[in-house]
Amino acid sequence: MVTAQCEFRLSPSVLAAYTYCEAVTGSQARNFSYGIRLLPPGKRRAMSALYAFSRRVDDIGDGPLATAEKEERLADARALLVRVREDRVAEGDTDPVAVALGHAARSRPIPLGALDELIDGVLMDVRGRRYETWDELEEYCRCVAGAVGRLSLGIFGTAAGPGLPAPGDGESGDGASRGARESARAARYADTLGLALQLTNILRDVREDALSGRTYLPTEDLDKFGCSGGFPTDSPPPGADFAGLVHFEVRRARTLFDEGYSLLPLLDRRSGACVAAMAGIYQRLLDRIAHDPLAVLSGRVSLPSHEKAYVALRGLAGSDARQAARAVRRGTVPRSVT
């Protein structure tokens, strides 16, 4: 049962668990941490718990272990989710991520099934799956990033309520129908924004992933632009239109950003600021990649800290949310807002 009141009665064990997760988030979430800092304490703690669990799952997938051992550890992570779902994580548990995630799940209507989807996506990585078409890559992106968007929405809620409606919450009539429709819209936009962020990640890491033996961009796109041989060096394949490939994927990502920004008017001010900061940082990163496509083959493209801070302040001021709201009232899809 979700009980918001339990958030105000943090035992020392739960507080210590959240402190650990916030430390992980601050040290590992180079871009997301700028947005998470803008949340009020309760939401910030819950987001840190989600991030710490997600980081653990990602680290398993990206680590040096053999495939069989990675699969075993991912199965352990899934078993932890069962314990959280069944409220079987004691506050004195020795795993701080489990304690924090368990408390967050009791406090807020977090759709824990989305964390199972995250594990499914990492299993695709572990097993070396390739993606022939955008539809196939989209499935992967929805698992590893769209799911995170929906999880975050469970913590943020919409402006009309504290979170995604929990089963049996007692709503009825037209108000319940409107709430359900708004929650469905918000979940769709959160999912789409997650796709935009993940596609940006894929473009940024194309060379790094190639060195690890991974290829995410759809085979049909690679073939279309003469890049079917992959990226074994810091130069495009001979005769390839690498810039054309990057610009093609950038346009796809921008379309996803444009739709995903429709989420902002549905959130409260602080939650909207968090989303605007995280998305804005990635959108500016995408702009840098579009300006110099070859840069992704020679190193990781990033933003300086002062630029990330500016985007966060812009989000806190509500500029992006107001622009998105005006676009929604006009009946148009919000354009990229940073």
Side-chain angles (χ1 to χ4, degrees):
M1 178 180 179
V2 176
T3 56
Q5 291 83 357
C6 74
E7 180 152 306
F8 301 103
R9 298 195 300 267
L10 298 183
S11 70
S13 296
V14 171
L15 186 59
Y18 275 130
T19 300
Y20 171 84
C21 293
E22 289 189 272
V24 170
T25 303
S27 63
Q28 300 294 322
R30 289 180 294 244
N31 292 325
F32 285 164
S33 63
Y34 281 85
I36 291 173
R37 292 172 191 167
L38 302 180
L39 293 169
K43 291 182 179 182
R44 185 177 66 243
R45 286 192 289 261
M47 283 293 293
S48 295
L50 283 181
Y51 179 84
F53 180 85
S54 301
R55 179 78 265 167
R56 175 181 295 180
V57 171
D58 284 343
D59 285 347
I60 294 170
D62 292 339
L65 299 174
T67 297
E69 191 168 354
K70 288 183 178 182
E71 290 178 342
E72 182 178 342
R73 295 205 179 185
L74 289 172
D76 291 342
R78 207 183 294 275
L80 171 56
L81 289 181
V82 173
R83 290 173 55 213
V84 170
R85 192 174 286 113
E86 296 176 354
D87 197 13
R88 291 192 289 108
V89 178
E91 289 190 0
D93 195 284
T94 57
D95 182 353
V97 176
V99 174
L101 185 60
H103 183 272
R106 289 192 299 274
S107 305
R108 300 179 181 279
I110 299 172
L112 292 172
L115 287 174
D116 283 298
E117 292 180 47
L118 173 64
I119 294 172
D120 291 340
V122 173
L123 277 170
M124 295 179 197
D125 285 340
V126 169
R127 293 165 182 169
R129 180 172 172 182
R130 295 283 296 268
Y131 306 96
E132 296 295 322
T133 66
W134 164 245
D135 287 345
E136 292 182 5
L137 179 60
E138 183 179 16
E139 176 193 357
Y140 166 78
C141 291
R142 288 192 187 281
C143 286
V144 298
V148 174
R150 285 175 271 124
L151 286 160
S152 301
L153 190 60
I155 293 172
F156 298 153
T158 59
L164 291 175
D169 63 1
E171 280 194 272
S172 61
D174 291 342
S177 298
R178 284 194 299 272
R181 287 195 298 271
E182 182 170 284
S183 292
R185 285 173 55 222
R188 185 174 72 252
Y189 295 143
D191 191 83
T192 300
L193 201 52
L195 264 65
L197 269 59
Q198 186 62 26
L199 184 53
T200 303
N201 266 338
I202 288 171
L203 286 172
R204 180 195 64 189
D205 297 341
V206 65
R207 171 72 175 142
E208 181 179 319
D209 289 331
L211 292 174
S212 301
R214 294 177 179 173
T215 300
Y216 291 100
L217 292 176
T219 299
E220 64 179 9
D221 296 351
L222 296 173
D223 292 345
K224 179 179 179 180
F225 292 95
C227 297
S228 55
F231 310 104
T233 71
D234 59 4
S235 298
D241 181 10
F242 182 74
L245 170 67
V246 170
H247 288 141
F248 178 80
E249 304 298 348
V250 165
R251 287 193 295 273
R252 174 176 279 155
R254 283 175 172 161
T255 298
L256 294 168
F257 272 116
D258 287 343
E259 180 181 348
Y261 269 114
S262 295
L263 174 64
L264 295 184
L266 301 178
L267 302 176
D268 66 70
R269 177 175 172 268
R270 296 281 289 275
S271 297
C274 174
V275 173
M278 292 189 291
I281 287 170
Y282 273 84
Q283 191 177 330
R284 284 174 175 250
L285 184 62
L286 187 70
D287 291 342
R288 287 195 171 212
I289 292 170
H291 179 71
D292 183 9
L294 292 178
V296 299
L297 294 179
S298 56
R300 173 172 284 208
V301 178
S302 63
L303 298 183
S305 296
H306 72 269
E307 190 169 350
K308 294 178 183 179
Y310 166 78
V311 175
L313 287 172
R314 179 184 170 91
L316 189 59
S319 303
D320 300 335
R322 289 193 294 272
Q323 184 172 330
R326 287 194 294 269
V328 170
R329 286 195 296 270
R330 291 194 302 266
T332 59
V333 174
R335 303 304 301 171
S336 299
V337 294
T338 59

